[in-house]
Amino acid sequence: SNEMMRRAGEKEIMYLNQLMANDPERKKHCIVYHGQFDHEDHLCMVFEAMHQNLRMALRQHGHKRGIQLSAVQIYARQIFIALRYLERLNIMHADLKPDNIVVNDKYNLLKICDFGSASSGDDNEITPYLVSRFYRAPEIMMGLQYGCPIDMWAAAVTIFELYTGKIMFQGNSNNSMLKLMQEVRGKMPHKLIRKGVFSELHFDPDYDFLYRERDRVTGREIMRIIKFEQRPLPGKDLKLTLMPAKLPEVEARKVMQLADLLEKALMLDPSKRYKATDLLKHPFCDPTRR
């Protein structure tokens, strides 16, 4: 019950109304907003009732091992339909993660919810702390211009988590997040390092990575230079991570498709990251394509 939270709530309602107005058939996988009321000076919003969020669903049905590949396919497709819709309206969710995606009681329908951080895809101030850290895109951490591709990054790491049951990048700071990302996706492109407002916190003048870690004994921060290659570190390749053991041929082919989809959705350079429109045509999401 304060002015700042009310303004934030009113901004959220503005985006929710826009989402409702442009989706009369309610097919775009965004939470249905029913209206608002005031209660003791608190602004309250009314939404359709859903069963639980994906974090809880994952804990219940896929703890430590993820959910079935066929379910991941259905969910990925529905997430991309929502992202394609948001992109067309130039709305950035800016806090996509399993906690902000809800499912129905049959587990066959998903909706993106919590538009409290949403903003338009192009009026964005540079801040290193937008989006929950494990789902934060590299361009935010680097201090680059950002827009709707940050939601694609968050969606991709969420989809990885659905299949494996594990959080993809679990760094304790932006610096350790960037290290983990480069281990899997290869070296940060030089042009991004050149443009980033926060680049000198993470890279030296030769574009090598400055990893800041705490000395276990003294607790002091020590700096280590890491020279990443253009390719993933041995053993960190997405295909290997997703398929550590041999699978039946049909399933193995699907897992390879998932790895390919994630590689396209997790391009470090946001201008090269695939859009939802492209990924909906990807064989993993579109069964008619081989």
Side-chain angles (χ1 to χ4, degrees):
S1 172
N2 65 48
E3 189 53 38
M4 191 182 90
M5 291 312 284
R6 179 163 291 266
R7 274 206 307 274
E10 284 166 353
K11 185 181 173 190
E12 182 172 354
I13 287 168
M14 177 192 82
Y15 285 115
L16 289 164
N17 281 328
Q18 204 180 335
L19 291 170
M20 295 299 96
N22 290 284
D23 179 21
E25 294 181 348
R26 309 285 182 255
K27 286 193 170 155
K28 304 296 188 200
H29 298 284
C30 294
I31 194 79
V32 173
Y33 167 69
H34 286 307
Q36 67 183 87
F37 63 91
D38 268 81
H39 174 70
E40 294 180 357
D41 288 336
H42 286 268
L43 173 61
C44 305
M45 303 177 209
V46 186
F47 296 94
E48 65 180 318
M50 295 292 277
H51 180 57
Q52 64 183 167
N53 69 37
L54 275 185
R55 172 93 53 220
M56 288 163 70
L58 203 50
R59 232 174 249 154
Q60 210 171 314
H61 303 286
H63 192 53
K64 297 275 189 264
R65 58 168 205 284
I67 58 176
Q68 282 180 319
L69 194 56
S70 55
V72 177
Q73 268 181 290
I74 291 165
Y75 287 166
R77 189 172 168 74
Q78 295 185 6
I79 290 169
F80 293 147
I81 288 170
L83 288 191
R84 178 178 64 186
Y85 179 54
L86 290 175
E87 199 180 308
R88 283 177 183 166
L89 295 176
N90 197 29
I91 296 173
M92 189 171 64
H93 183 282
D95 196 17
L96 204 57
K97 54 184 176 180
D99 320 60
N100 290 339
I101 300 172
V102 283
V103 288
N104 65 356
D105 52 0
K106 294 195 185 78
Y107 293 100
N108 62 356
L109 177 71
L110 138 178
K111 306 267 182 111
I112 289 177
C113 68
D114 193 349
F115 286 83
S117 301
S119 67
S120 90
D122 40 33
D123 72 3
N124 306 308
E125 55 185 87
I126 300 287
T127 161
Y129 301 119
L130 188 74
V131 187
S132 304
R133 185 170 62 242
F134 299 157
Y135 305 91
R136 190 178 292 154
E139 60 266 32
I140 298 171
M141 306 184 197
M142 298 282 292
L144 292 152
Q145 285 302 316
Y146 58 88
C148 292
I150 68 168
D151 289 340
M152 177 52 74
W153 180 277
V157 291
T158 296
I159 291 164
F160 174 93
E161 197 171 326
L162 291 177
Y163 180 61
T164 61
K166 299 183 185 77
I167 291 170
M168 188 170 192
F169 301 116
Q170 222 168 340
N172 57 10
S173 65
N174 278 351
N175 184 261
S176 64
M177 288 293 293
L178 287 166
K179 171 181 175 276
L180 295 172
M181 287 170 184
Q182 292 176 98
E183 287 175 358
V184 175
R185 302 301 292 126
K187 186 169 170 43
M188 184 68 66
H190 289 184
K191 70 168 188 184
L192 298 189
I193 299 173
R194 278 196 296 275
K195 287 183 190 163
V197 174
F198 309 124
S199 291
E200 58 201 37
L201 297 173
H202 308 295
F203 293 89
D204 70 8
D206 297 325
Y207 304 113
D208 287 321
F209 187 65
L210 299 170
Y211 179 47
R212 300 159 189 276
E213 55 187 333
R214 294 239 166 256
D215 185 291
R216 289 208 176 134
V217 183
T218 64
R220 292 238 281 292
E221 187 178 86
I222 41 179
M223 191 100 80
R224 191 152 59 85
I225 292 179
I226 305 177
K227 292 179 180 293
F228 283 110
E229 305 274 334
Q230 298 301 332
R231 57 183 181 277
L233 288 188
K236 294 281 185 180
D237 179 87
L238 266 169
K239 292 186 174 72
L240 276 173
T241 312
L242 291 175
M243 199 160 64
K246 206 161 168 50
L247 291 172
E249 191 186 336
V250 175
E251 196 179 344
R253 191 168 76 237
K254 273 281 158 237
V255 176
M256 287 296 107
Q257 288 174 352
L258 174 59
D260 182 71
L261 176 125
L262 292 178
E263 282 176 356
K264 291 175 161 69
L266 292 170
M267 300 296 279
L268 293 173
D269 183 342
S271 69
K272 294 188 174 157
R273 202 171 298 152
Y274 275 49
K275 290 182 157 66
T277 315
D278 312 315
L279 293 177
L280 282 165
K281 297 175 191 146
H282 189 280
F284 184 74
C285 289
D286 182 354
T288 63
R289 291 167 192 259
R290 301 312 285 170

